[in-house]
Amino acid sequence: PTRRSSDLVDYQPGLFETVDQNNRRYAVAIRPNGTYVTPENPARTGEVIRVFVTGIGQTTPAIAAGQTGSGQRVLADIVVGLNDTGVRLVSATYATNLTGIYEIAFEIPAITATGTDRPLAVVVVRNNGQFVYGNGSTIAISQ
């Protein structure tokens, strides 16, 4: 089928995920020491965690289709939701040496509820203030 311009969307955020041996979905997330966040290696309160998403739009300087990233800053406003509340966004960039992938860094507040499957979401805010939600995921967090 042919796509019409009316079929295109400006944002379609999607968190990259992995599935464990019990078929549970987790966001692909990296701790400050470079290790992956897993239930056995949870993120800790106070840490800055990096997750990877697609579909969050243009950067500055601008990127072309198929171009690899070099840390360009995302133009859209981004909100990270953890345990159904907004948390501090540290940065939103086009991932270095990758294509079509963005890296979102956020801080896990000290008061965050812990557990092996805490809800996580990345939301894009359009210029008119409308939120564009992507797939929700989970992340493991401990003290």
Side-chain angles (χ1 to χ4, degrees):
T2 304
R3 292 201 112 184
R4 300 176 307 238
S5 62
S6 61
D7 294 336
L8 302 178
V9 293
D10 51 356
Y11 303 111
Q12 196 167 15
L15 273 160
F16 284 85
E17 297 181 304
T18 187
V19 178
D20 72 6
Q21 63 274 13
N22 296 319
N23 228 16
R24 296 175 297 196
R25 297 175 324 142
Y26 291 97
V28 174
I30 298 178
R31 295 185 59 207
N33 65 6
T35 60
Y36 286 104
V37 174
T38 66
E40 298 76 31
N41 185 40
R44 305 216 182 269
T45 57
E47 287 185 333
V48 172
I49 300 298
R50 295 177 294 142
V51 294
F52 300 90
V53 299
T54 191
I56 60 174
Q58 198 48 268
T59 63
T60 184
I63 51 173
Q67 179 180 347
T68 58
S70 59
Q72 298 95 326
R73 186 179 58 83
V74 171
L75 286 176
D77 288 330
I78 304 295
V79 174
V80 177
L82 181 61
N83 287 332
D84 302 318
T85 191
V87 298
R88 184 175 79 88
L89 175 71
V90 174
S91 63
T93 59
Y94 195 61
T96 300
N97 296 323
L98 298 175
T99 303
I101 301 174
Y102 303 82
E103 183 176 296
I104 307 297
F106 63 95
E107 183 177 10
I108 299 179
I111 60 170
T112 301
T114 60
T116 58
D117 58 352
R118 305 312 309 159
L120 174 69
V122 173
V123 178
V124 178
V125 184
R126 287 193 173 112
N127 289 338
N128 65 3
Q130 181 184 24
F131 283 16
V132 182
Y133 296 89
N135 62 310
S137 193
T138 60
I139 187 170
I141 299 172
S142 75
Q143 290 294 348

